[in-house]
Every structure is written in C-alpha cells, then in structure tokens.
Amino acid sequence: MSNGQNKDLKRKVLTIIVGFILLSGAISFAIVEPSIIKRVPFSAPDAAYQNWDEILKNPQPITLDVYSTGINATNLSGIVNLEHENAQGLADDVIGIPVLTGVVQHEEFGAHLIDAGLDAAYADNPHGTIKGLIVDNFLANGSQEPGQNIAAILDRENIQIQTVWLTHLHPDHTAGIVDLPKDIPYVAGKGERYVNFRFIIQTEHLAGVDQLYEIDLSDGIELPPFGKGVDLFGDGSFWAIDSSGHSTGHILFFINGIEEQILYTGDAINIGLQYEKSIGSGTYSSDLEKSQEVVEQIIAFKELHPEVTLVLGHDLETF
C-alpha cells in the first residue's frame, strides 16, 4: 500500500471515529439534556456540637410532622433485597406503600420540607407528569386522593416552607416539586443523580428550579456508627447524615427536637420489614452492599439510642 493510500485510509478511519463521536454526542444530548441543572455547594454553618452525646443532650425547638401524599404499588423485590439470607421465606409481590413527606418546623428558622412526595397529577394519572418509553413497564403505579399532594396539605395547614431538603432524587421523592414554589432553595446530597432522560423517563420535576444546592457530607463531623454529618442550621437541631447506598448521594435527616428526637431514614429503610429483619434495599438501589451497611448502621444507632424514633421512607408506622 502506497503512502497516499495509507493517508487516505487514516483519513477515512479518523472521519468515521469523529463522526461516531459527534453522533454519540448528539444522541446523548437529545436524551440527557433535560436532566442538566446547575448545582452549587450548600454553605453549611459550623457544627454546634461534635458528637452524638453532645447533640442528644441539647435538643432544640424543632418538630416533625409526617404526611402521606399517596400510595405507590411496587414490587417487594424493588425495596427489599430478597436475595439476602434474612429474606428466606419472603416471596416477591406487588405491595402498596405510602409516599411520605416530612414537615419540619423550627421555632427560629421556620418551616421546611423533607422530600416532596407525589404531585397533584397522581390523582388522575398513575405516573403523574412523568413521560417516557419505559414508564409504563418499569415505574410503580401511584394513586392519590384529590388534595392529598403536599402543596395542598401545606395550603390547608397554612404552612409556608423555607427550603426543600431531599433524601435523594428518585421520582417518588421529587414529583411534588411540580406543585411547589420555585423561589426557595432545593437541597440534596452531593453527587445525587437526577432521574430525567428525554424520551426514556422524563420527569421534569425540577423544571423552574434555577439551581440545586448540594450538601458535601465529607465536610461534616464524624457521627458513628454512621459516616459524617452536617449541622444544617448550626444549632444542633437538624442534621444531614451520609447514607450512600440506595442512591449515590442519599441522606438521612436527624431532627433533634425537645419533644421528640427523630431519625428520618428516607429509602435507606423503606418499610418495617427491613428494620425488623436487617435487610437492605432491593433492586431499586444503586449499591446493594452499601445499602445493607446503612441498614445495619441504623439498627446499631437505634440500639445505642433507643429514645430516638425512626421514621422510615415508606411506612407510616414508626419504630
């Protein structure tokens, strides 16, 4: 082969490679573009206390009320790891679980929301506002009574929220944002993935939100048996705690109230069955091994501090 032919062959190969890269980029942009949202660091104040003993001895004027925004019909295997040795005898089935939100009220810092639950569209559509090719086959079917969405609840209770704190960005925790004000901060864990892909599963739950604040848990203090935690208000009342496993940036929230001290688990523990049998989350989780570790950490924490109430991600019963 002559030098000229070699050069022509190299040009053709290079052209094919460049064309493939451009085509891949165009396809990626067409699919992923809706999920792009500006992310900025959450600026946390210095921690008021440095360990659990100090925190628990200094409760603050903060409360939590939990509401169900509807029901999701989902596979047990999605929320419970049925491959775990403690799951012997459990069979997969479709079960109905409540989709919860928590209203935090602080005497000084006002009202805040933990997760957003289901939006009002679920009263008429089992997928709310979500569209896409895989929605009917892969997403849980939601149901809701009219006026059960979180925006309607806040309106009835005359509550004006200051911030929405998200345990993670799965659709059943972000859907209610559709009905909420957009001129308040929305905050999640650093690196948490936003599930929103054009044509495949397009939620647009964060549409209208200019930026998403991210909590960097690595900047927090050590809170064994967990990893690190961040004092969100700087007075020891409300903490975000690392619980990566169910999702990359999943967060536990600790409410250090005078009336009640509460660990809000999000989907680190979905239902009481997981807590009772020490079983991590199922196929809906990004990392089964880490998910199991977090469940065991929560159980160990509860054994050390039985006075703390556990509010689970999809269970109206507390522990």
Side-chain angles (χ1 to χ4, degrees):
M1 185 179 292
S2 67
N3 287 338
Q5 289 174 319
N6 273 330
K7 289 181 180 179
D8 287 341
L9 179 59
K10 288 179 181 178
R11 286 195 199 98
K12 289 178 181 178
V13 170
L14 182 59
T15 300
I16 292 172
I17 292 172
V18 171
F20 178 77
I21 291 172
L22 292 174
L23 179 61
S24 298
I27 293 172
S28 176
F29 178 82
I31 293 174
V32 176
E33 187 272 334
S35 70
I36 296 174
I37 182 170
K38 182 181 179 182
R39 297 180 182 237
V40 297
F42 171 76
S43 181
D46 293 336
Y49 306 107
Q50 298 300 312
N51 55 61
W52 280 118
D53 186 54
E54 292 180 359
I55 294 168
L56 294 169
K57 286 181 178 179
N58 291 277
Q60 302 296 319
I62 188 170
T63 61
L64 174 73
D65 291 304
V66 177
Y67 298 89
S68 173
T69 62
I71 300 294
N72 261 354
T74 190
N75 291 323
L76 183 64
S77 60
I79 62 173
V80 179
N81 182 9
L82 297 183
E83 301 300 317
H84 192 277
E85 59 182 3
N86 293 349
Q88 291 183 13
L90 297 178
D92 197 11
D93 199 0
V94 176
I95 62 170
I97 55 174
V99 182
L100 306 181
T101 66
V103 176
V104 173
Q105 300 209 55
H106 190 288
E107 193 173 272
E108 179 181 354
F109 299 112
H112 302 256
L113 193 64
I114 300 178
D115 289 335
L118 303 180
D119 61 84
Y122 278 87
D124 301 308
N125 187 321
H127 302 303
T129 59
I130 303 175
K131 301 175 182 179
L133 298 174
I134 70 170
V135 167
D136 288 336
N137 293 325
F138 291 95
L139 281 192
N141 289 332
S143 60
Q144 182 188 78
E145 296 297 323
Q148 195 179 7
N149 65 299
I150 188 57
I153 293 169
L154 294 173
D155 185 57
R156 282 196 301 273
E157 300 291 335
N158 195 28
I159 297 171
Q160 292 187 329
I161 55 172
Q162 308 299 310
T163 311
V164 177
W165 307 89
L166 296 153
T167 58
H168 61 302
L169 297 179
H170 286 178
D172 55 327
H173 296 257
T174 61
I177 295 172
V178 170
D179 302 324
L180 294 175
K182 305 302 184 292
D183 58 347
I184 58 174
Y186 288 80
V187 190
K190 184 177 180 179
E192 176 65 16
R193 297 189 183 106
Y194 176 31
V195 182
N196 188 34
F197 302 100
R198 198 198 303 271
F199 307 129
I200 298 175
I201 174 172
Q202 188 166 344
T203 65
E204 296 293 357
H205 290 163
L206 295 182
V209 176
D210 289 337
Q211 56 192 19
L212 181 70
Y213 290 89
E214 291 189 310
I215 304 170
D216 187 348
L217 276 303
S218 67
D219 292 337
I221 65 168
E222 295 289 346
L223 289 175
F226 306 110
K228 292 187 175 183
V230 170
D231 187 352
L232 298 173
F233 294 158
D235 68 343
S237 66
F238 189 42
W239 295 77
I241 301 170
D242 182 20
S243 57
S244 175
H246 175 69
S247 64
T248 304
H250 192 282
I251 288 174
L252 308 174
F253 288 103
F254 182 73
I255 297 92
N256 190 29
I258 294 171
E259 297 179 8
E260 191 174 21
Q261 294 167 307
I262 300 166
L263 185 67
Y264 194 101
T265 72
D267 285 6
I269 299 184
N270 294 281
I271 59 176
L273 177 68
Q274 288 177 265
Y275 173 66
E276 292 162 354
K277 291 184 173 289
S278 186
I279 303 175
S281 296
T283 56
Y284 298 158
S285 293
S286 60
D287 190 320
L288 294 182
E289 185 175 340
K290 282 189 175 181
S291 179
Q292 181 63 38
E293 288 176 3
V294 174
V295 169
E296 292 171 4
Q297 289 169 353
I298 293 171
I299 292 171
F301 176 77
K302 177 67 172 176
E303 290 175 349
L304 289 169
H305 306 289
E307 72 278 14
V308 173
T309 300
L310 299 183
V311 172
L312 310 185
H314 292 280
D315 199 326
L316 285 169
E317 182 179 0
T318 59
F319 294 84

